[in-house]
Amino acid sequence: MSRPVRVFPVAAGALALSLALTLTACDGGVHGTPGGAGRHDPYFPKAGNGGYDVSHYGLTLAYDPGTRHLTGTAVITARATQDLTAFDLDLKGLDVGAVTVEGRDARWNRAGQELTIRPHDDLKKGETFSTTVRYSGTPETITDPDGSKEGWLRTADGALALGEPVGSMAWFPGDDHPADKASYDITVTVPKGLQVVSNGELKSETTDGDRTAFVWHSAEPMASYLATVAIGHYAITRSTTSDGLPVYVAVDPTQVAASKKVLAKIPEIIEWEQYNFGPYPFSSTGAIVNRPGDSGYALETQNRPVFPGVPDTDILVHELAHQWYGDSVTPKTWRDMWLNEGFATYAEWLWDEDHGGRTAQQTFDRYYATPTDDSTLWGFPPANPPGAMYISDPPVYHRGAMVLQKIRQTVGDDRFYDIIQGWTAAHRHGTADTAEFTAYVEKMAPGKDFTEIWNDWLYGEGKPPRP
């Protein structure tokens, strides 16, 4: 979904520093090595970093929509997974003012999206450490190969931060890959009169003179691409589901009247999804509805998805289903995107089945009738998109959902719901890949043969034989 990373020339001073770090690493007193620049994702190899796992992000931001200037301080708590002499953070654009590790000034240099940090003292494997990065500038909007926009999006009255797949590095430094999840505290100060909506729970809203600070807390682990900040004028409504789950909805004033009816369905949808998918995995739910031109797509940002204008019921069901499939159970790599989109699309099929529409099998049959030469559905297998620009294409969504219907046909309804609920329970707040899913299905349905499903539907090229 994102464009290839450009590698920028390294300035002479940065090159000298890099050489110095290399020489230092060869010194007999240093026993560690630099962490890797990238997690070797099959589609975004430079995304994320090696050598550490983040447990918490503390982000303190100030933004002025008039000047588009962002000032930020990121305090990143992580655990070293190896002896480290240096490590990288992902940060695209913006100007770095200072970096400290464990309270001591650290040397650093920039090369493309990589912020390479050399702490004053080497970090030992298993050590928990805190890194503070002070930065500022005009955050970037990133254009993906399919033409969609991510990163920091300017809106009519503020801004919207969206991060799938690699846009979060446009507004804060971090380990920008879904394999590394963390808790978040996000504080944003904006001109008085504007509001800030983010993930988790709003802990405080404090006005001092002509500025207001909003403090949001996300206790459950979150992948960086699911973090969001929405700045602007919003109509806020608060309610609860029947079992007391808080529902926080923020709607652009121009969308309030048109969205009132569909957004009122959120408690009903959440309760239906809990019945089908298991306990809701987070401490609150809701939605953020912006103007139609603010983004070209909806996104399952954690706790409360973002919508470009008024959603219909199907897309609301889809994005809320992602709270289980994608947000709580997060793909280990972007190749596993179908575990997000196939499940969320299948949730739409199940909703229709339970609410007087087509059965899931009828929807399956309608898609299967698509001509063999139609590449929009049969162009590639859902578990193996041919490149980064294809991870959000129809085969990942619709053919991914067809895989789930084939599993349901094979095992029957009772076992199928055991599988999809057990899957979310087994990997709650964690990560998983396609191989783990297929192994889980086989374990849950011993004696059943899934060879055709895996070979023809999940990994096979072209239209599978008639079921």
Side-chain angles (χ1 to χ4, degrees), residues 87-169:
F87 59 92
D88 283 23
L89 298 173
D90 298 305
L91 182 64
K92 185 173 177 60
L94 300 171
D95 300 315
V96 174
V99 179
T100 62
V101 178
E102 288 295 284
R104 305 189 69 174
D105 290 341
R107 290 178 288 172
W108 54 271
N109 66 285
R110 305 287 297 277
Q113 72 183 56
E114 301 298 326
L115 170 61
T116 302
I117 298 169
R118 171 67 163 93
H120 185 276
D121 299 310
D122 297 334
L123 301 168
K124 302 302 181 185
K125 181 178 179 180
E127 178 181 352
T128 298
F129 63 98
S130 176
T131 302
T132 300
V133 181
R134 302 184 188 280
Y135 58 99
S136 62
T138 301
E140 295 185 18
T141 297
I142 299 171
T143 301
D144 298 325
D146 62 4
S148 60
K149 308 288 186 180
E150 61 167 328
W152 193 267
L153 310 179
R154 189 176 187 182
T155 64
D157 56 357
L160 175 63
L162 298 178
E164 185 180 292
V166 292
S168 293
M169 63 180 174

Side-chain angles (χ1 to χ4, degrees), residues 169-292:
M169 63 180 174
W171 60 283
F172 69 92
D175 191 14
D176 195 9
H177 189 272
D180 193 358
K181 303 170 73 170
S183 59
Y184 283 71
D185 284 288
I186 301 176
T187 298
V188 186
T189 300
V190 295
K192 181 181 178 181
L194 295 178
Q195 290 158 301
V196 178
V197 186
S198 188
N199 312 93
E201 279 62 63
L202 178 62
K203 292 301 183 180
S204 67
E205 176 183 340
T206 306
T207 298
D208 183 5
D210 61 352
R211 309 283 287 177
T212 303
F214 295 80
V215 179
W216 289 86
H217 174 67
S218 299
E220 296 93 356
M222 178 167 65
S224 57
Y225 81 92
L226 299 170
T228 190
V229 167
I231 300 170
H233 296 100
Y234 291 99
I236 306 297
T237 58
R238 296 175 174 86
S239 61
T240 61
T241 62
S242 61
D243 59 359
L245 180 71
V247 180
Y248 185 102
V249 176
V251 183
D252 184 279
T254 65
Q255 308 297 305
V256 169
S259 64
K260 184 176 181 180
K261 184 176 181 179
V262 67
L263 294 178
K265 296 181 180 180
I266 291 177
E268 176 191 359
I269 292 171
I270 289 293
E271 290 162 13
W272 175 86
E273 291 183 336
Q274 286 190 106
Y275 177 80
N276 286 280
F277 308 143
Y280 183 74
F282 302 111
S283 52
S284 66
T285 190
I288 302 170
V289 179
N290 285 288
R291 302 184 190 196

Side-chain angles (χ1 to χ4, degrees), residues 422-440:
W423 175 250
T424 64
H427 297 278
R428 183 180 176 92
H429 301 315
T431 61
D433 60 23
T434 300
E436 288 173 298
F437 177 72
T438 57
Y440 183 81

